Amino acid sequence: MAQTAASDLTFEAPDEEVAREIRSALAEWFHHEQRDLPWRRTRDPYAVWISEAMLQQTRVEVVLDYWPRFLRAFPDVHALARATDEAVLEAWSGLGYYRRARALQAAARVIDEEHGGVFPTDHDEVLALPGVGPYTAGAVLSIALDLPEPIVDGNVERVFARLFHLDGVRGSGPLMRAAWSAARYFVAREDDRVPPRVWNQALMELGALVCTPRGPRCGACPVGEWCAGRAAGVADDLPRPKPKRPPVEVRLETYLAERDGRWLVVQRPEEGLMAGMWEFPTVEVDGPGLFPGELPGGLGARLEPAEELTTMRHGITKHRITVSVRRATCADPGSKSARWLEAPEVRELALTGMARKLAERLDAWESGLGA
Ligand code: SF4
C-alpha cells in the first residue's frame, strides 16, 4: 500500500518505520543485484570523482573504456593538475562535452594548490571547485567517504517522482526541489546496515536497472509496495517530459586537403564550443553561428574546395548537423593553428567528434581512393 500519496510537488516524508523499510529493502536488493562496475571497487575520492564526471553525460559502456585509461594517464590529482591541456583533451576525446575535461583539470589544480593534493571533505569546499555542482559533490562525498550527503541525478529524480507521486516536469525547479528534499530526508537516516554510500548508489542503480525511463519493471521492484505512482497507475508517465523543441538545423562544409600523404588540420579557438580541439577546416554554410562562417587565419583565401566526397550527419546537443565533406587543395595554410599531419598523427590529436569520424576514414580517401 502506498504510504505517501501526495500527487503534487511537495515531498511528504513517510513515517520513520516506513522509511526504514524502504531503505533496507532497497539496500538488500542492491547488495544482490548491483552491476559490477570498476569504480565501485574504489574508495579513492579522485577516482570516484573522475567516474562521476564521465558518467554525467555518457553511457556506462563507454565510461568502462575511458575511465581506466584516463586513470592510467593521470593516476592522481597531482598528475592531472600538472598535465598539459592538450594531453587531457586527448584522453577525453570522444566523450564529448569537453567543458567537463577542462573543469576537471581546473579543479585538480585548485586541489593541488589549495588542499595539498588531497580531495577536500568539506561540502562547501568541494562545491567551490570548478565544474562541481551539488550532484557531484554529494556523489564523491557519499560514495568515497561515506558522508550523509544527498544526491539527485536523472535516475534519482525519476525514482522519487514515482515513489512519492511527485507530478512534475523532468528537470524542472519544483520537481528537483522536491527530489532533493526526499534525498536529504532519506540519506540523513543512515545506519550501519544502510550507510550513505550504499543508499545513494542503490537509488541510482534502481533507476538504471528497474525504474527505467520507459516501462519500469514494477513487478521486480524492491520498493514497489510503497510506490504511490505505481498505486495510482501513473508510474510510466512520471516525471512528465519536457516540452519538445525542434532541433536547430546546421549545414557545414568540411575540407579534406592532402599534400604528400599529409592532411591539413586546424585547431579551434581557445574560447567557445569545443575550444582548443582539432578538426579539418570547417565552415558553417547555414545555421545559427555554431561554427565560424569563414576559415581562420586567412586560410579561406588559400584553400581551394573541390569535389564532394560524402555527406555526413552529426548531432551536437540540440543541433542537427549536415556536413558536406569536400576534397580541397591548399598550398600554404598561412595560419599558426594549422598543421599538415599523416593520418595516424591526426588520429592522435584531441579531435572533435565529427573530425574523429572523418579521421577514421582518411586512409580510404588518401590518394583519391574514394570513400
Ligand atoms: Fe519505479 Fe515501479 Fe518501483 Fe515505483 S514500483 S519505484 S515506478 S519501478
Side-chain angles (χ1 to χ4, degrees), residues 40-313:
R40 290 197 176 142
R41 294 182 219 130
T42 178
R43 301 285 293 270
D44 173 8
Y46 171 73
V48 171
W49 173 45
I50 301 296
S51 73
E52 288 300 332
M54 288 185 171
L55 287 163
Q56 268 173 40
Q57 256 124 358
T58 309
R59 286 177 299 114
V60 166
E61 299 73 42
V62 178
V63 177
L64 281 172
D65 182 35
Y66 275 82
W67 183 74
R69 270 198 283 134
F70 195 91
L71 288 183
R72 273 197 298 277
F74 315 109
D76 52 33
V77 168
H78 193 64
L80 183 58
R82 298 292 161 100
T84 63
D85 296 3
E86 191 153 27
V88 176
L89 284 177
E90 197 182 311
W92 200 269
S93 176
L95 275 174
Y97 297 94
Y98 295 94
R99 243 176 302 143
R100 287 182 296 173
R102 291 177 177 281
L104 274 179
Q105 196 181 23
R109 287 177 179 155
V110 173
I111 298 170
D112 205 34
E113 284 160 21
E114 296 178 15
H115 302 283
V118 179
F119 202 93
T121 55
D122 175 78
H123 179 91
D124 292 342
E125 285 181 352
V126 177
L127 213 48
L129 296 171
V132 173
Y135 167 78
T136 307
V140 177
L141 292 173
S142 65
I143 295 171
L145 304 169
D146 215 12
L147 296 174
E149 295 282 346
I151 53 166
V152 175
D153 69 349
N155 282 326
V156 174
E157 178 200 46
R158 183 170 61 256
V159 169
F160 281 142
R162 291 169 175 173
L163 188 54
F164 299 109
H165 197 170
L166 302 167
D167 195 351
V169 172
R170 180 156 39 96
S172 64
L175 179 53
M176 289 301 274
R177 277 191 289 281
W180 276 102
S181 167
R184 275 191 297 275
Y185 171 81
F186 276 99
V187 83
R189 271 146 191 82
E190 59 176 318
D191 57 54
D192 287 348
R193 285 180 43 246
V194 193
R197 66 187 306 270
V198 169
W199 169 252
N200 279 347
Q201 291 188 92
L203 258 185
M204 291 195 284
E205 194 75 337
L206 186 74
L209 300 183
V210 177
C211 196
T212 46
R214 279 187 217 92
R217 296 189 296 117
C218 301
C221 180
V223 296
E225 67 180 285
W226 300 283
C227 183
R230 180 191 188 191
V234 295
D236 214 358
D237 303 327
L238 298 175
R240 305 278 173 204
K242 290 181 190 163
K244 270 205 170 156
R245 279 200 230 130
V248 179
E249 298 285 348
V250 183
R251 280 202 312 118
L252 303 179
E253 280 195 358
T254 284
Y255 305 108
L256 296 185
E258 184 210 348
R259 197 174 68 185
D260 302 329
R262 290 169 185 270
W263 299 88
L264 180 61
V265 285
V266 293
Q267 190 170 26
R268 291 182 66 83
E270 283 304 317
E271 298 292 329
L273 185 74
M274 297 175 287
M277 308 289 294
W278 289 83
E279 64 185 359
F280 301 98
T282 298
V283 290
E284 185 167 310
V285 180
D286 191 16
L290 195 62
F291 283 68
E294 285 183 15
L295 292 170
L299 187 54
R302 298 159 198 260
L303 189 138
E304 278 292 326
E307 82 273 15
E308 184 177 77
L309 290 166
T310 188
T311 302
M312 276 176 30
R313 296 218 177 261

